[in-house]
Amino acid sequence: MALNKEEMLSDYIDWLNHERQDVHSMGKIADKDLEKMFETAEMIHSMELEQHEPSEAFMDRVAKRIREEEAAQKTKKNNFSWKTAGKWLPLGAAAIVAVSLLWNAFGATPPAGASDISVVETKTIGDLGESAAVAPSYRPGVGSEEVTYSKDEQIWKLQTKNGEKTAIPLNDFQYMHDPAWSPDGKRLAFAGYKNGKEGIWIMNADGTGLHKVTDPATNEEFHEHPAWSPDGKKLLFSKLGEKIVEPHGAKVVGNEIWKIKDDGSGLVKITEGSSPVWSPLGDKIAFTRTSGNGKTSIWLADSDGSNAEKLTEGSEPSWSPDGRFIAYVQNREGNLKLKDAPTAIIQATYREVMAIDTTNGKITRLTKNEVSKSQLDEIKKLVKNQNPSTIPINYKVSGKFDDGMPAWAKDGKHIILTRNENTEEGSHFRLIELTLKIK
């Protein structure tokens, strides 16, 4: 999904603030107003002024001065000098100038200040080697000290303080995945495959009390992604249908969300979709739907599946404990322009974790991806060596990492997620923890 114009400007200023002036993040949309905003930010960046981000108080004073300037310039706005403005305005305030003075061309009201959610620390809490993790989560009642996830067809527990990893025994399961702790942290639901079928199972934290919750009708039906209700009495899960396609492979023929009680009774279909999660009050659910062209989006519905409506583009939703935010994954696309290789047409894709404020719909990027310098240097070399050098060349690149499967801690101040550092060999899968600041 392409960024909107405000996000493009913010992203470009972020590039400039980190002194990556050789890369211009163009997004997928280009117009004169947007280019003028980029040029303004670039001009201010080139001046020998303070380079750190101003304080919120300073930003407020700048915003006030801009409003006063706009009022004075109503009849002669064309005489406003960008060069004069740049002499007193540092880079961190460039977004306010560009958005405030040009937003009328976009037909919208200027945005009010920074997001109410931000990341103050990003750290690795688990090195996963050469294979990815699935469905990481904090164990309720234990805090951030214990993380559970599935990897290599087993479920693992990670002690974050000392890095100790312990696998839950498979016993007679061929594989186990998608672990989900009950709200009190005493029971674990998971998808388990045995006797030719994959269903939902529950066991106590110590491995006792194992019992089957769902029983797929055929071996072409898979039950995955269990999610507990806030009262710990019911589960949502994804029902995936597959059809064997000769001579090999399988085709997905259905994605449905079902609800069932923890004793295996009361099975009922809720809606079409996958990866369901309950709201903290249990009155709503969030889930992913995939269109015919492969695009994914986050949907909300009442707990019985009624009144479903699309929330935003993305997948893998996770609700914050207070119900205000939903973290999710978004595949973002954009074009890059290199000053040292102007004939290169670079199409970049990024997989990042976002958060949407359910009270006002405002979206914030929690993990900010970029194309690696080594990739860009290689493209520059290819362009330099081509003959003739004026022929446009198309390149497709991905960001330095792919993030996914965000899950909130009970304190609402941390999110755990999976990361693939997009290298071909060596240890490149991680469990990442974000520490959040929320206003």
Side-chain angles (χ1 to χ4, degrees), residues 198 200 214-218 220-225 236-242 252-259 267 269 271-276:
E198 181 184 78
I200 304 299
T214 71
D215 188 13
T218 71
E220 294 181 349
E221 181 180 309
F222 300 86
H223 298 175
E224 304 174 333
H225 305 294
L236 294 172
F237 66 92
S238 299
K239 177 182 173 182
L240 172 68
E242 286 189 353
V252 175
V253 294
N255 270 309
E256 300 172 347
I257 296 172
W258 289 67
K259 180 169 61 177
L267 179 65
K269 179 182 175 181
T271 188
E272 302 291 327
S274 62
S275 305

Side-chain angles (χ1 to χ4, degrees), residues 355-399:
I356 184 169
D357 189 329
T358 61
T359 65
N360 57 27
K362 186 162 187 176
I363 294 174
T364 304
R365 288 166 60 195
L366 299 182
T367 62
K368 296 185 178 181
N369 206 342
E370 60 186 36
V371 176
S372 68
K373 185 177 183 300
S374 60
Q375 283 183 297
L376 297 176
D377 288 343
E378 183 63 28
I379 291 173
K380 291 177 185 178
K381 291 180 182 178
L382 292 173
V383 172
K384 184 178 180 180
N385 293 333
Q386 71 171 327
N387 187 17
S389 61
T390 56
I391 298 178
I393 299 181
N394 289 299
Y395 299 91
K396 291 186 177 181
V397 296
S398 59

Side-chain angles (χ1 to χ4, degrees), residues 207-335:
T208 63
L210 177 68
H211 67 279
K212 180 168 56 177
V213 181
T214 71
D215 188 13
T218 71
N219 59 6
E220 294 181 349
E221 181 180 309
F222 300 86
H223 298 175
E224 304 174 333
H225 305 294
W228 291 87
S229 61
D231 62 8
K233 297 179 179 180
K234 298 178 289 294
L235 291 164
L236 294 172
F237 66 92
S238 299
K239 177 182 173 182
L240 172 68
E242 286 189 353
K243 183 178 180 180
I244 302 301
V245 180
E246 298 296 342
H248 55 77
K251 179 182 178 181
V252 175
V253 294
N255 270 309
E256 300 172 347
I257 296 172
W258 289 67
K259 180 169 61 177
I260 196 168
K261 293 181 181 179
D262 60 348
D263 62 2
S265 65
L267 179 65
V268 60
K269 179 182 175 181
I270 298 297
T271 188
E272 302 291 327
S274 62
S275 305
V277 289
W278 298 81
S279 68
L281 295 179
D283 58 335
K284 298 281 187 180
I285 63 172
F287 55 94
T288 302
R289 277 185 179 170
T290 304
S291 65
N293 60 7
K295 297 289 186 179
T296 60
S297 53
I298 307 295
W299 285 66
L300 298 182
D302 293 341
S303 60
D304 61 359
S306 63
N307 300 315
E309 60 180 1
K310 181 179 173 180
L311 180 65
T312 187
E313 303 293 331
S315 62
E316 302 170 19
S318 176
W319 228 305
S320 65
D322 63 2
R324 180 181 175 186
F325 296 96
I326 292 177
Y328 63 98
V329 175
Q330 184 180 81
N331 293 319
R332 184 168 64 86
E333 300 175 354
N335 296 333

Side-chain angles (χ1 to χ4, degrees), residues 40-68:
T40 300
E42 195 171 27
M43 178 197 69
I44 296 172
H45 181 270
S46 67
M47 297 180 179
E48 295 181 355
L49 300 170
E50 72 173 308
Q51 296 295 305
H52 66 275
E53 186 175 356
S55 66
E56 291 185 11
F58 176 79
M59 297 282 275
D60 289 340
R61 292 197 301 271
V62 170
K64 181 180 178 181
R65 180 167 177 178
I66 290 171
R67 289 192 294 269
E68 293 171 349

